[in-house]
Amino acid sequence: MNQVINFLEPLAAWFRSLGMPEPIVHWGHPFMMAIVVFVMGSFAGWAGWKARLTQDEEISAKSRQLHRQVAPLMFAFMAMGYTGGVLSLVMQKHPIAESPHFWTGGTVLLLLLVNGAIAFLGFSQESPNLRKFHAYLGSTALVAMIVHALLGLKLGLSI
């Protein structure tokens, strides 16, 4: 982890030199990521499950389309937010790997990456079991996001 900190320190020092207010440095990442997790995450999950469970083909197709549009954007924002969160810790001179929040963030990204790969590579085979696994893995990722958010709140209140 020291290599990551050493790599990010020049960028963190530059951001520190901008004189950003402490509440922005401290709570900016959690605020922005809460929007991604709770708005985009819940919408992606809702649209995915609606597409799966509805009997109306038109509604199912529309929900599937919405899920396909939101889920990749959510992953992109979460990956950027992960980087921003690590940078925020470096800016605050807080150890990175000591927090479970850091590890749950990586776990969430890994779950979403695997789930995206399943959808991208595996759905061409129209496997119902693969689709079911995708749905439950995505739901697991959403639960992990909530745990991650709670651990982040705990971390934010401790530093």
Side-chain angles (χ1 to χ4, degrees):
M1 270 316 131
N2 285 337
Q3 293 171 337
V4 173
I5 293 170
N6 292 338
F7 177 76
L8 291 175
E9 182 52 41
L11 185 58
W14 180 77
F15 275 112
R16 274 189 231 103
S17 75
L18 297 176
M20 280 189 256
E22 192 276 334
I24 298 293
V25 173
H26 192 88
W27 294 107
H29 165 78
F31 178 75
M32 299 309 282
M33 292 312 297
I35 293 169
V36 173
V37 168
F38 292 108
V39 175
M40 294 182 87
S42 61
F43 182 80
W46 171 81
W49 277 103
K50 186 174 181 182
R52 239 184 115 62
L53 298 176
T54 189
Q55 301 299 318
D56 185 322
E57 270 306 309
E58 187 177 327
I59 292 172
S60 179
K62 179 69 174 167
S63 295
R64 192 171 285 114
Q65 177 188 19
L66 289 171
H67 179 75
R68 284 184 192 138
Q69 291 171 340
V70 172
L73 288 173
M74 179 191 69
F75 176 78
F77 285 132
M78 291 189 80
M80 289 185 289
Y82 181 86
T83 306
V86 170
L87 182 60
S88 175
L89 287 175
V90 174
M91 287 175 66
Q92 296 174 73
K93 298 193 180 286
H94 191 276
I96 296 172
E98 289 181 12
S99 168
H101 181 70
F102 170 80
W103 297 106
T104 57
T107 301
V108 165
L109 283 179
L110 182 62
L111 289 171
L112 293 174
L113 183 66
V114 168
N115 218 26
I118 289 169
F120 185 74
L121 301 172
F123 282 3
S124 62
Q125 300 158 2
E126 288 300 319
S127 168
N129 287 335
L130 201 54
R131 286 186 181 274
K132 184 184 286 187
F133 182 72
H134 172 80
Y136 285 103
L137 185 61
S139 296
T140 301
L142 289 174
V143 170
M145 285 180 215
I146 293 168
V147 170
H148 177 69
L150 293 171
L151 291 170
L153 180 61
K154 180 180 175 187
L155 174 63
L157 293 171
S158 74
I159 57 177

